[in-house]
Amino acid sequence: MTTAAMDLQILRAFVLAAKEGNVSRAAERLHLTQPAVSLQLKRFAEETGLVLFTRTPHGLALTADGAAMLPQAERVLAAVGDLQQAARKLQGTVRGALRIGTILDPEFTRLGVFLRELVEAAPQIETELRHGMSGSVLAQVLRGDLDVGFHLDPGDDDQAATTPAPALSVRPLTRFTYRVVAPAGWGPQVQGRDWKALAALPWLATPPESAHHRLLERVFAPLGLSPRRVAMVDQEASMLDLLKSGIGLSLVRDSIAIRECQAHGLAMADRVQLDCALRFVSLASRRDEPVIASAWDALAKAWN
C-alpha cells in the first residue's frame, strides 16, 4: 500500500471504530451509514493486508496488528489536522510591502518598538524605511509613494491650511516644544529677546520641506521679517555641529536643547518657543488595506 493510496476517510473510520468498539457508533460520529463504514474498514484491511478487528458479542476488538496500526493512523490524522490549520492561518496572513516615511531620530518616534510590534503581528510584511524631512514625507504619502509616515505639524487651528486633513488618516502621537538655541557665548544676544530681535541675528536655514522652516515662517511672515540665513542644513546632527561651531541660531527640540546647552554651554532664548506635534499619517482611502491596517495596529501598541 502506498501513501498516495491512503484515504483519510478510511483512516478516520478505522480510528473511530477502534475507539468506539462499534461500527454503528463510529458511523454516527462520521455522519455515515453503517454499511458505508463497514465497507471502509474492509477496504483498509485489504489495503494493509492485515486483520485489524475481531468480532465479539459486544462489537469490535482490535487485533494485535490493529492495535499497532492505531497510533500510526492517529499520527497521520493529527499531522493532516496541523497541515490544515497551518493552511488556514496562511490564508489569513497579511503579506506585502510597507513603505514607511521616517523623520527625526528613531528613539523619539519609537520606530524600533513600532517595527517590533509589526514584525511580531505580521511577519510576512516587508518594510522599507525612507528617512526624510517632515514635509517631504507628507507629500510622498499623499502621492502614494509612501504607505505611512511620521509627520510634524503645528497642530493648531491653521492645520488644515498646510495639511489636507480630509485626505489623511491621522493619529497624534505627542506634542513637544522647539527652543531657539544659539552658540556658546551668545547669551546676551538671545536672553530676553523677542522674535523681532532674534530675526536680526544669523540663522541656520532649513529647506521648505522641514518643520523648522514652516514653524519659523509662521512666526516671521506676519511680522514682515526675514531672518538672516547664513547656512542651509537638512539634518539635525549637522545643525547641532554648526551651532557648536558658532555659525548661527536654530530651532532645537526642547529635550535636546537642554542637554546640549548643559553639555556644551550653548545659549537658549528664554522669551520664545514654538509648539509642534508628532503625528502618524496615511491616506484615508487606503486606511483599511491589510498591510496599512497592520501598520496602524502596530503603531497603536507602540504608543500605548
Side-chain angles (χ1 to χ4, degrees):
M1 179 188 64
T2 65
T3 303
M6 183 65 67
D7 187 326
L8 292 177
Q9 188 63 26
I10 289 177
L11 282 183
R12 294 187 182 97
F14 167 64
V15 169
L16 284 175
K19 290 184 174 181
E20 295 290 343
N22 184 283
V23 174
S24 296
R25 288 196 295 271
E28 289 177 4
R29 292 186 59 181
L30 290 168
H31 304 290
L32 295 172
T33 65
Q34 181 175 335
V37 173
S38 296
L39 181 60
Q40 289 175 342
L41 295 177
K42 180 181 178 181
R43 283 182 56 193
F44 190 41
E46 291 172 349
E47 290 179 359
T48 59
L50 300 172
V51 177
L52 302 170
F53 293 99
T54 59
R55 293 192 176 276
T56 72
H58 303 290
L60 298 177
L62 284 170
T63 65
D65 288 340
M69 289 291 290
L70 180 60
Q72 303 288 341
E74 289 176 324
R75 279 195 288 271
V76 170
L77 292 176
V80 171
D82 291 342
L83 182 65
Q84 292 171 336
Q85 184 176 6
R88 285 192 292 269
K89 287 182 178 179
L90 287 174
Q91 288 172 357
T93 298
V94 179
R95 293 182 177 85
L98 180 71
R99 301 163 298 175
I100 306 169
T102 67
I103 58 174
L104 304 175
D105 55 273
E107 182 179 3
F108 184 69
T109 60
R110 301 188 189 177
L111 181 62
V113 181
F114 165 54
L115 292 177
R116 183 191 67 205
E117 295 289 350
L118 181 62
V119 167
E120 289 180 355
Q124 299 298 321
I125 292 180
E126 298 181 0
T127 58
E128 177 185 345
L129 303 181
R130 299 183 189 175
H131 192 79
M133 286 176 287
S134 175
S136 64
V137 167
L138 180 64
Q140 290 179 75
V141 169
L142 291 169
R143 290 198 307 266
D145 295 334
L146 288 173
D147 302 307
V148 297
F150 295 92
H151 175 248
L152 298 177
D153 195 276
D156 56 18
D157 293 338
D158 291 332
Q159 175 179 333
T162 58
T163 304
L168 293 172
S169 287
V170 178
R171 170 163 177 161
L173 300 177
T174 187
R175 293 192 63 82
F176 62 99
T177 301
Y178 273 114
R179 305 298 296 268
V180 176
V181 178
W186 289 33
Q189 296 170 266
V190 298
Q191 292 290 318
R193 305 304 176 110
D194 59 14
W195 286 113
K196 184 176 181 180
L198 294 174
L201 298 174
W203 280 80
L204 301 175
T206 58
E209 297 83 5
S210 75
H212 289 203
H213 181 92
R214 289 183 286 121
L215 286 166
L216 290 174
E217 280 293 303
R218 293 166 61 84
V219 171
F220 290 128
L223 297 175
L225 299 173
S226 180
R228 183 157 61 92
R229 297 179 172 90
V230 293
M232 177 73 72
V233 291
D234 61 1
Q235 296 287 337
E236 282 197 342
S238 300
M239 192 176 297
L240 286 172
D241 284 342
L242 293 177
L243 270 172
K244 296 171 189 176
S245 299
I247 304 299
L249 281 63
S250 178
L251 293 181
V252 180
R253 274 180 285 147
D254 49 3
S255 58
I256 298 176
I258 294 170
R259 182 189 70 203
E260 294 296 325
C261 287
Q262 292 175 344
H264 301 284
L266 302 181
M268 186 188 306
D270 57 354
R271 285 191 57 190
V272 299
Q273 63 183 42
L274 293 170
D275 293 329
C276 196
L278 174 67
R279 314 185 307 166
F280 188 77
V281 300
S282 70
L283 282 175
S285 60
R286 302 184 60 201
R287 173 66 174 78
D288 294 328
E289 292 181 12
V291 170
I292 294 178
S294 296
W296 279 91
D297 291 343
L299 181 92
K301 292 178 181 178
W303 279 87
N304 280 347

